[in-house]
Amino acid sequence: MNQKIYLSEDWLFNENFQEGMTATEYPEETLQPVRIPHTCKETPFHYFDESLYQMVSGYRRHLHIPTEWQGKRILLTFEGAGHDSTVYLNGNKVGEHHCGYTAFTVDLSAYASYGQDNVLCVRLDSREDLNVPPFGYVIDYMTYGGIYRDVYLEVKDQIALEDIFVHTLITPDEAQVTSEITFYEVAKDLNVRQYYMLKSDAVMSGVVSDVTSDNGWQFLCEQNVPTGTTAETPFRI
């Protein structure tokens, strides 16, 4: 199971973050409806002071989490939020990120209320901070704030691939492929199989979803994932 759900609509915004915004109950009539991507401050084209968009603002959104997601891993990804972010679900802090130009992901699973309404809140500090990149040296551009790129949910099984990096070693006599895999979670008796397809076959078949030998995929190897492997350490095959 792997779903990707974009959360562009139904956000609420306040230029002045208040601690109460993280709670499930909050007077939302005081907040401004916005759509993501969003800037924390609209500025005139001809002139403005850079202090206009430097603030601690707050975003809030209701999120229904169905019961069938229980036991799954619910991952929330921000592709860009300037510049210092703290994320809450139902009043609980679920993660933080200290850079406005890189994506980050938080896991909502531990604090989700299944089959019910959940409240997502983001405290976003767009003030310049010497300890948060790219500040700390010389910058020759305006560093606007806000959740300025897409936000999406991914629903994955507990045992799923978090990242994979493929290394190749090719000589005149042989070719070697090493896959470096990071898992969200590792279970006992977990096996990984690796297949390959000739480039000419891949071009002819287009996108292939079933990994079987009768549609061009060729079995390469299989290996058991050691029980000592953790979600933080890559596994190599």
Side-chain angles (χ1 to χ4, degrees):
M1 179 182 183
N2 189 355
Q3 300 183 38
K4 195 171 188 179
I5 304 164
Y6 282 87
L7 305 179
S8 300
E9 310 291 344
D10 304 322
W11 288 85
L12 299 169
F13 174 73
N14 193 332
E15 287 189 3
N16 300 301
F17 174 81
Q18 300 175 7
E19 294 297 332
M21 290 183 67
T22 66
T24 53
E25 299 296 329
Y26 184 80
E28 294 183 339
E29 63 274 7
T30 63
L31 304 180
Q32 173 191 357
V34 298
R35 186 181 189 278
I36 303 299
H38 177 259
T39 177
C40 65
K41 188 72 173 182
E42 292 187 13
T43 55
F45 287 113
H46 60 287
Y47 174 79
F48 62 90
D49 191 298
E50 63 183 26
S51 63
L52 285 177
Y53 56 76
Q54 295 192 42
M55 62 182 70
V56 182
S57 58
Y59 290 83
R60 183 177 164 95
R61 191 191 194 280
H62 289 261
L63 183 65
H64 178 77
I65 299 180
T67 54
E68 54 265 30
W69 290 2
Q70 197 157 5
K72 306 292 183 181
R73 194 175 294 274
I74 306 170
L75 304 172
L76 178 69
T77 295
F78 294 81
E79 292 190 343
H83 296 276
D84 193 291
S85 308
T86 308
V87 184
Y88 301 85
L89 184 69
N90 299 328
N92 302 289
K93 180 180 173 181
V94 294
E96 59 186 40
H97 188 66
H98 310 290
C99 179
Y101 297 96
T102 54
F104 67 99
T105 300
V106 296
D107 192 336
L108 305 182
S109 312
Y111 298 103
S113 297
Y114 296 92
Q116 302 178 40
D117 180 65
N118 293 258
V119 176
L120 182 66
C121 181
V122 182
R123 178 189 182 275
L124 193 57
D125 191 342
S126 55
R127 296 173 297 183
E128 294 190 4
D129 187 331
L130 297 181
N131 296 314
V132 177
F135 311 113
Y137 195 55
V138 178
I139 300 174
D140 62 352
Y141 55 89
M142 299 298 182
T143 57
Y144 304 95
I147 303 179
Y148 67 94
R149 289 180 181 163
D150 286 332
V151 180
Y152 59 84
L153 277 176
E154 289 183 289
V155 184
K156 298 177 177 285
D157 289 323
Q158 287 292 333
I159 302 174
L161 303 182
E162 180 179 7
D163 193 21
I164 180 168
F165 193 89
V166 178
H167 305 266
T168 59
L169 177 62
I170 301 175
T171 70
D173 301 318
E174 63 178 359
Q176 180 176 301
V177 177
T178 302
S179 297
E180 187 176 278
I181 303 169
T182 306
F183 296 94
Y184 283 108
E185 190 171 309
V186 176
K188 186 180 179 180
D189 298 326
L190 176 64
N191 288 333
V192 173
R193 292 176 181 172
Q194 191 160 260
Y195 294 79
Y196 74 96
M197 180 187 289
L198 295 177
K199 183 177 180 180
S200 57
D201 293 339
V203 172
M204 292 296 293
S205 60
V207 179
V208 181
S209 57
D210 296 325
V211 184
T212 56
S213 58
D214 58 358
N215 63 9
W217 288 103
Q218 302 295 322
F219 176 75
L220 187 62
C221 59
E222 179 175 350
Q223 191 170 323
N224 180 263
V225 180
T227 54
T229 303
T230 67
E232 289 77 28
T233 57
F235 163 75
R236 292 174 176 83
I237 179 172

